[in-house]
Amino acid sequence: MNALKKSLLGWSRCALLVAGATASLSAMANKANDTLVYASDSEVENISQYHNNLREGVILAHLIWDTLVYRDPKTNEYKPQLATAWKWESPTALVLDLREGVTFQNGDKFSADDVVFTFNYVVTPESKAVTRQNTEWIKSVDKLGDYKVRINLKRPFPAALEYLAGPLPIYPGAYFKKVGLEGFAKAPIGTGPYKVTSVTPGQGVTLVKNAAYFKDSPQGQPKIGNIKFMVIPDPETRTAQLMTGAVDWIWRVPADQAESFKGNPKVTVQSGETMRAGFVTIDATGASSPNSPFKDLRVRQAVNYAINRKGIADNLVRGGSQPLYTACFRTQFGCDAKAALTYEYNPTKAKELLAAAGYANGFDTDIYAYREREFAEAIIGDLHKVGIRARLHYMKYAALQGEYRNGKTPLTFQAWGSYSMNDASAFVSVFFKGGSDDITKDPQTRQWLEVADTSTDPAVRKENYSKALALISKNAYMAPLFSYSTFYAFNSQLKFQGYPDELPRFYEASWK
C-alpha cells in the first residue's frame, strides 16, 4: 500500500471516529443553514486585536471591527473606511475626517470619541498591547470635532496609512470603559461586517452577519449569514470534519493532503505563496546560557549554512514556497534581498565553522517551536547532521513567547506574517529595533531602523533598511528560511478567494 493510500485510509478511519461527535456540528454547517464553519489549530487567548498577534486573531478582527483606512487587496489602493478623508497637516500630524451615520453592533454611535479613546488607550503601558511596533509611532490623538481627529506622531512615520489600514481597529470607547479588557474579550463589539454572539475558550467563536453594516464600506456587504470559528488542534481531525461536512473551510493543509483532495468533487483546493516567513532566531547575546555557543559568530553562521532552505521549501512547504535570506518579505517596501548574504546549504562549511569555533564534536542545545512540528523536525535533522544536537521544546505560542522574550531560548523556530503589511518596518523592525521581540538589541541596527522607519524620503528609508538587513545577515542574528505557502481546502459549494497577504476575507465569501 503506497503512502498516499495509507494516508487516505487513515483519514477515512478518523472520519468514522469523529462522525458521531460531529453530527450536531454538521447540522449547523454548509449552505443550507447559511453557516460557514472554519477550523484552525490555534486559539486566540484574547480576541482583542491589540492583545494577540496570532493570525487567527487578525482574521477575526477583520470580521468584527473596521479600521479608519481600507487597503484594497487587489490594487493596494487606500480607500475610505471609518475615515472619509485624510491629509498631512505636518510630517507628524495626520488629520482625518470621519464617517457619519455608522453604529457599533450594540447601537452606540461611532464618533471621534471612539478613535480618540482607542488610540490613546492602546499606546499606554496599562493597555498591555502585545505588538508595540504597530502603535509605538502614535503619540496621541486629539478630537477636532464630533467627526474629525488629529493623530499626533512621535516622529515622521511614512508607513502610517499602511498601519491604519491593518492592525489598528477602532473600539467603542464607552462600552470598553464599562466592561474593561476582560469583559471586552468575552463580548467584543465593533462596527464590522460580523457580530460576535459567543466566545467559548477552548472551542471557538460564533458570529452573525451585521445587518446594520454601513452600506458604503469599501469591502462590501457580508453575504453569508453565520460564521463559526472552531479550534481543532489535531490536523487529521480537521481533515476528517471537512470530509464529513462538519467543517466548511480549513487551511495550512499539508501538501500531501491537499493533493489528495483534488479528486474529491466535494472539496475545492487553492494554494499560493504568502507573505509569511519561517525563520530561526538565534540567541547571539548568550542570555540563555552563560557559556552559550551562539555568542560566537561562526556558530551562528554554521546554523545558517546547515539548514537546507530549498529542500524544506520544495519538499515540505511546497505550493510556491521560496527560500529566504532576509528578515523581511520581498514585496515589502525597503526589503532589499540583495543586501543579505546568501547562506546556501553547505553542511561541510557549517562543520568547518563549528570546528574553528572549538566545537569539532558539536554540542547539545535546545530549540523551541509552536507550529508545524514537521518543519521544526526537518530543521533539527539538518542541524544534527553538522553536530548541533538540538532538542525540541514544542509548546503553545503564549508560553513560547514568554520564554523567548525572557531570553531563555537558544534557538526558536517562528513564523511572522507582518500583519499583512507591505512595509519592511512590519518585520525587521519588530525583531531588531529594541522592542520586546528583539533579543539581539544591536545598537547600530536599531539606529539604522529608526532612520528607515521615520524618514519621509523613500531613498533614505531604502538605504537604511538595506544597511540594517546587511548587518543582520552578516552577523547571522537570525536564520531566515522560507516563505510559507497556504493550502486552503473548503466546501465546493463555497465561493472563496485567497490572497498573498494570508488574510482570508470571509466577508467576501458566498455560497454558489
Side-chain angles (χ1 to χ4, degrees):
M1 186 181 295
N2 62 34
L4 180 57
K5 287 182 178 178
K6 287 181 180 179
S7 297
L8 287 170
L9 180 58
W11 301 331
S12 297
R13 288 171 178 167
C14 188
L16 290 172
L17 288 172
V18 302
T22 63
S24 61
L25 289 169
S26 182
M28 293 174 57
N30 303 330
K31 180 178 180 179
N33 294 286
D34 198 18
T35 299
L36 189 163
V37 179
Y38 81 97
S40 187
D41 58 347
S42 301
E43 179 179 8
V44 180
E45 293 199 358
N46 188 320
I47 200 171
S48 166
Q49 168 76 96
Y50 295 102
H51 298 90
N52 76 81
N53 53 18
L54 281 178
R55 177 57 45 164
E56 284 70 24
V58 177
I59 296 168
L60 290 169
H62 282 266
L63 297 173
I64 304 165
W65 296 287
D66 288 315
T67 50
L68 294 174
V69 181
Y70 175 78
R71 177 166 58 80
D72 189 311
K74 298 182 179 70
T75 66
N76 287 326
E77 177 186 0
Y78 296 119
K79 296 180 178 179
Q81 195 163 30
L82 290 180
T84 57
W86 50 86
K87 66 177 180 179
W88 288 100
E89 192 174 69
S90 75
T92 56
L94 180 63
V95 174
L96 301 100
D97 295 321
L98 305 178
R99 191 180 297 276
E100 299 185 39
V102 175
T103 58
F104 285 97
Q105 295 151 358
N106 65 346
D108 289 353
K109 290 184 178 180
F110 162 75
S111 73
D113 292 330
D114 302 298
V115 179
V116 171
F117 163 76
T118 299
F119 292 156
N120 285 342
Y121 165 70
V122 298
V123 299
T124 65
E126 292 76 20
S127 72
K128 299 180 181 179
V130 297
T131 306
R132 287 290 177 188
Q133 170 66 25
N134 292 338
T135 57
E136 62 106 27
W137 53 277
I138 299 175
K139 179 181 179 181
S140 62
V141 180
D142 301 325
K143 179 180 178 180
L144 303 182
D146 288 344
Y147 293 94
K148 196 180 191 73
V149 297
R150 178 193 296 113
I151 300 178
N152 302 301
L153 284 62
K154 294 179 180 178
R155 59 192 69 83
F157 187 61
L161 288 179
E162 182 71 15
Y163 280 74
L164 291 175
L168 303 183
I170 304 302
Y171 287 174
Y175 176 75
F176 192 100
K177 292 175 188 176
K178 179 181 178 181
V179 301
L181 178 58
E182 184 177 350
F184 195 70
K186 295 176 181 177
I189 292 294
T191 63
Y194 284 88
K195 177 181 179 179
V196 173
T197 56
S198 68
V199 178
T200 308
Q203 297 184 31
V205 181
T206 59
L207 308 97
V208 64
K209 181 166 63 174
N210 179 7
Y213 190 54
F214 67 98
K215 63 181 180 62
D216 293 327
S217 171
Q219 61 191 32
Q221 294 296 304
K223 300 174 180 64
I224 293 176
N226 305 279
I227 295 179
K228 182 177 178 64
F229 165 59
M230 292 178 57
V231 180
I232 305 178
D234 180 64
E236 287 193 352
T237 303
R238 289 197 302 275
T239 299
Q241 294 201 8
L242 177 68
M243 300 292 283
T244 61
V247 166
D248 297 303
W249 186 97
I250 61 176
W251 70 335
R252 298 171 182 160
V253 178
D256 286 339
Q257 289 186 18
E259 188 66 29
S260 73
F261 283 145
K262 290 183 178 178
N264 189 330
K266 295 182 179 181
V267 177
T268 299
V269 175
Q270 285 184 14
S271 68
E273 186 188 25
T274 74
M275 290 176 62
R276 180 169 296 276
F279 55 92
V280 171
T281 50
I282 305 173
D283 176 24
T285 65
S288 60
S289 171
N291 300 311
S292 173
F294 300 110
K295 290 191 287 187
D296 192 309
L297 170 61
R298 293 166 295 188
V299 174
R300 301 196 301 273
Q301 290 175 328
V303 170
N304 272 272
Y305 281 117
I307 301 173
N308 187 352
R309 293 165 170 82
K310 183 171 174 53
I312 294 174
D314 289 350
N315 300 316
L316 279 180
V317 189
R318 292 190 267 182
S321 171
Q322 299 292 324
L324 293 182
Y325 303 94
T326 54
C328 54
F329 188 70
R330 63 179 181 274
T331 64
Q332 294 176 313
F333 177 91
C335 187
D336 181 5
K338 295 179 181 178
L341 296 175
T342 300
Y343 289 98
E344 295 289 359
Y345 178 50
N346 193 332
T348 301
K349 178 70 172 177
K351 290 178 181 178
E352 291 173 355
L353 286 164
L354 290 174
Y359 299 100
N361 295 320
F363 59 87
D364 296 316
T365 189
D366 298 290
I367 185 169
Y368 289 69
Y370 69 96
R371 57 181 290 163
E372 288 95 26
R373 181 187 286 267
E374 67 274 25
F375 297 176
E377 289 173 347
I379 293 166
I380 290 169
D382 285 343
L383 293 175
H384 271 243
K385 290 175 185 176
V386 302
I388 301 175
R389 297 177 292 274
R391 297 177 296 268
L392 176 62
H393 297 257
Y394 194 81
M395 57 183 63
K396 289 187 176 182
Y397 177 75
L400 178 144
Q401 186 183 58
E403 295 290 287
Y404 169 77
R405 289 181 170 180
N406 288 324
K408 297 180 179 179
T409 62
L411 298 172
T412 313
F413 170 57
Q414 302 192 58
W416 190 249
S418 298
Y419 281 90
S420 304
M421 290 186 289
N422 275 305
D423 195 90
S425 63
F427 191 147
V428 64
S429 297
V430 171
F431 292 94
F432 293 100
K433 210 178 78 169
S436 54
D437 288 310
D438 178 6
I439 62 170
T440 304
K441 292 182 169 57
D442 179 274
Q444 181 61 80
T445 304
R446 291 170 63 179
Q447 179 183 340
W448 283 330
L449 290 175
E450 182 65 28
V451 173
D453 284 356
T454 59
S455 175
T456 56
D457 185 335
V460 171
R461 296 191 74 206
K462 289 181 179 180
E463 178 187 0
N464 282 273
Y465 280 132
S466 293
K467 289 192 289 189
L469 291 168
L471 186 62
I472 292 165
S473 179
K474 177 183 176 183
N475 288 338
Y477 290 143
M478 173 187 280
L481 299 178
F482 54 83
S483 60
Y484 274 75
S485 62
T486 291
F487 285 91
Y488 305 100
F490 50 91
N491 185 330
S492 60
Q493 291 183 309
L494 182 67
K495 185 177 180 181
F496 170 83
Q497 178 59 55
Y499 293 91
D501 63 7
E502 203 184 13
L503 177 59
R505 291 166 170 83
F506 291 124
Y507 53 79
E508 289 184 351
S510 62
W511 301 112
K512 294 179 181 177

